[in-house]
Amino acid sequence: MALSRTRAVRPAARQPRNAAADRAPTLQAAKAAQTRARLIDATVRCLVKYGYANTTTPKVAEEAGLSRGAMMHHFENGTALIKAAIAELHEKRLRAFRRAADRPEHEVTDLVETYWRQLQKPAFIAFHELAVAARTDADLASILSPLQEEFRAKFNAQAEQLFPEWLGSPNFALAMTLSQTILEGMAISLQTGGMEPAQVEPMLRHLEAQIRSLAPAA
Amino acid sequence: MALSRTRAVRPAARQPRNAAADRAPTLQAAKAAQTRARLIDATVRCLVKYGYANTTTPKVAEEAGLSRGAMMHHFENGTALIKAAIAELHEKRLRAFRRAADRPEHEVTDLVETYWRQLQKPAFIAFHELAVAARTDADLASILSPLQEEFRAKFNAQAEQLFPEWLGSPNFALAMTLSQTILEGMAISLQTGGMEPAQVEPMLRHLEAQIRSLAPAA
DNA sequence: AAAGACAATCATATCTGTCTTTTTTAACGG
DNA sequence: CCGTTAAAAAAGACAGATATGATTGTCTTT
């Protein structure tokens, strides 16, 4: 996709057009929002199937079952589409954690299981695809970095709220980093052929034991 | 780079030409080997600087200080260049381990330190760049997969040889996977902005403690 | 003279952004 | 209630940029 900056200053045409426009509150043109969602979804699917580099506007349009012209009507350029997809992925990650936090039982190892399940979903693959691309793409990085920081902060806050007994423990940050590193590292290694799938289960159980041993006396 | 397969069947011209050719053992034209090495080096540098997707033949040629035409003289197409770079990276990884094994002192945690240092080098970034691209590029994957498996095997064999007391321990595989996952996961997270650098040291120390506690009674 | 190293150029393919044209569809007045 | 109309949606066409493989030409070395 390459995220190229628009050369000329477009005459400010076709602004993002928030679903519920200023004065016309309800419109059948709320269907536009649905189409936009369809395009964003197609973008994420393309990220997973083709990788960031090969996620081109024609491919996304085809994946969404639309013409490229129609697609450009909803997103003025490829950058806008990627931005929207990133925002969508980010919110999806946050929502998933909120859901997990709303569950009644809060076992220490629930976080591990929940996050691991998260990492199996396409959203994580797409996000990693973007994160890797951002390493050599300053524009992409400027979009992604703040969101990554926000996610880390909310992740920690969520965990702190779920397990108040950890509050103030010097082991808290370590346990968080350990969990994230191991789980995300495994997810990536699985995708890129770096590790054998048979090792996943033992690793999960070991991590759970680790966390328990790091926990302060309840 | 995209690793596209050559369409027509080239008339088998210009075979790889191993540095020391069959009968003409010594030639000043061994400079060709030097140029090839320069090109391979430039390729790795480009992988780090621009990422796999943006590592194009013009960029590599420029980085090597050669014309693209000259480059095509040494590597008939971009695929051949990438293949050579992969082989180079693979051998570099293996050599680094052999060097580490030749050192006299074999502390348990030496492996951690040594591997972690390895992961800071450009070679690992380049390799991960390739591994991620291979997820959606079957041709690249067919080249990379066997090498990854070979690396894993040699990595384990090396460790087993260095620490014979682990032999037969059910914890051995776990310790190996744990080390690889944590260290590689951290290296990637650092590159992609997924974790805070301040957390690296505590993680390294924790991993070392982990390995010690997994070790069988000496 | 012959071969290899190197350079320059050509032709093709694809992606991107922009512009123009057609089709659909919702809104409004008769 | 329905037909007209204007805007939105969709499709298509076009030019610029860039990457790629291939071809041809030049110069040095043996």
Side-chain angles (χ1 to χ4, degrees):
Chain A
M1 188 68 86
L3 208 51
S4 65
R5 192 175 300 298
T6 309
R7 275 175 296 282
V9 187
R10 283 288 284 288
R14 277 209 218 92
Q15 48 205 331
R17 169 181 299 112
N18 22 10
D22 288 353
R23 47 192 169 161
T26 71
L27 289 172
Q28 100 307 350
K31 260 204 171 171
Q34 186 185 351
T35 302
R36 287 172 62 91
R38 192 150 48 107
L39 282 166
I40 291 174
D41 227 60
T43 303
V44 174
R45 261 195 314 273
C46 283
L47 285 173
V48 174
K49 277 183 201 154
Y50 307 116
Y52 175 78
N54 301 325
T55 293
T56 64
T57 43
K59 291 233 189 73
V60 172
E62 184 194 359
E63 180 81 21
L66 253 69
S67 75
R68 210 175 74 91
M71 161 176 158
M72 298 307 261
H73 172 70
H74 291 278
F75 295 92
E76 28 190 340
N77 55 35
T79 301
L81 188 62
I82 289 288
K83 279 187 186 174
I86 290 176
E88 166 73 16
L89 285 174
H90 180 60
E91 279 161 30
K92 197 173 283 187
R93 290 216 291 176
L94 292 181
R95 261 184 312 218
F97 268 108
R98 244 185 297 275
R99 263 200 311 272
D102 287 346
R103 295 187 352 182
E105 9 87 25
H106 293 325
E107 268 300 315
V108 187
T109 58
D110 274 2
L111 189 68
V112 171
E113 270 304 321
T114 301
Y115 194 39
W116 178 245
R117 248 193 304 274
Q118 274 304 305
L119 296 181
Q120 308 303 108
K121 294 188 185 176
F124 174 72
I125 302 179
F127 209 90
H128 184 240
E129 204 61 54
L130 290 164
V132 168
R135 187 183 70 80
T136 55
D137 186 327
D139 292 333
L140 195 54
S142 74
I143 301 174
L144 224 52
S145 293
L147 299 186
Q148 283 180 298
E149 182 127 3
E150 181 188 343
F151 177 75
R152 215 182 317 154
K154 293 209 171 160
F155 184 97
N156 285 1
Q158 194 71 263
E160 232 171 47
Q161 176 195 328
L162 253 64
F163 312 112
E165 68 270 22
W166 284 79
L167 249 174
S169 168
N171 286 341
F172 179 72
L174 182 61
M176 284 295 107
T177 307
L178 191 68
S179 303
Q180 277 192 303
T181 302
I182 288 185
L183 295 178
E184 292 175 9
M186 278 204 299
I188 294 168
S189 275
L190 275 182
Q191 288 294 332
T192 57
M195 83 180 279
E196 301 188 61
Q199 291 292 325
V200 170
E201 275 305 317
M203 284 286 289
L204 287 179
R205 278 193 285 271
H206 180 77
L207 174 61
E208 290 169 355
Q210 272 312 292
I211 294 178
R212 268 192 288 269
S213 85
L214 280 174
Chain B
M1 189 68 88
L3 209 51
S4 65
R5 192 175 303 297
T6 309
R7 276 175 295 282
V9 187
R10 283 286 284 285
R14 279 209 217 93
Q15 48 206 331
R17 167 182 300 115
N18 22 10
D22 288 353
R23 48 189 168 163
T26 71
L27 289 173
Q28 107 306 346
K31 263 206 170 169
Q34 186 186 352
T35 302
R36 286 174 63 91
R38 192 149 49 106
L39 282 166
I40 291 174
D41 226 61
T43 304
V44 174
R45 258 194 317 273
C46 282
L47 284 174
V48 174
K49 279 184 201 154
Y50 308 116
Y52 175 78
N54 300 325
T55 293
T56 64
T57 44
K59 290 233 189 74
V60 172
E62 185 195 357
E63 181 81 21
L66 252 69
S67 75
R68 210 175 73 89
M71 162 175 158
M72 298 307 260
H73 172 71
H74 291 278
F75 296 92
E76 28 191 340
N77 55 35
T79 302
L81 188 62
I82 288 289
K83 278 187 186 172
I86 290 175
E88 166 73 15
L89 284 173
H90 181 59
E91 279 161 29
K92 197 173 282 187
R93 290 216 292 176
L94 292 181
R95 261 185 312 220
F97 269 108
R98 243 184 298 276
R99 263 201 310 273
D102 287 346
R103 296 190 345 183
E105 10 88 26
H106 293 327
E107 270 299 314
V108 187
T109 58
D110 275 1
L111 189 69
V112 170
E113 270 304 320
T114 301
Y115 194 37
W116 177 245
R117 247 192 305 274
Q118 274 304 306
L119 296 181
Q120 307 304 107
K121 295 187 184 175
F124 173 73
I125 301 179
F127 208 91
H128 184 240
E129 204 65 51
L130 290 163
V132 168
R135 188 184 67 81
T136 55
D137 186 326
D139 293 333
L140 194 54
S142 73
I143 302 174
L144 223 52
S145 293
L147 300 186
Q148 283 180 299
E149 182 126 4
E150 181 189 343
F151 177 75
R152 216 182 316 155
K154 293 210 170 160
F155 184 98
N156 285 2
Q158 193 70 263
E160 233 171 46
Q161 175 196 329
L162 254 63
F163 312 111
E165 67 270 21
W166 285 79
L167 249 174
S169 168
N171 285 342
F172 179 72
L174 182 60
M176 284 295 108
T177 307
L178 191 69
S179 302
Q180 278 193 303
T181 303
I182 288 185
L183 295 178
E184 292 175 10
M186 278 204 299
I188 294 168
S189 275
L190 274 182
Q191 289 294 332
T192 58
M195 83 180 279
E196 300 187 60
Q199 292 292 322
V200 171
E201 275 305 317
M203 285 286 289
L204 287 179
R205 277 194 285 272
H206 180 76
L207 174 60
E208 290 169 355
Q210 272 311 291
I211 295 178
R212 268 194 287 269
S213 87
L214 281 174

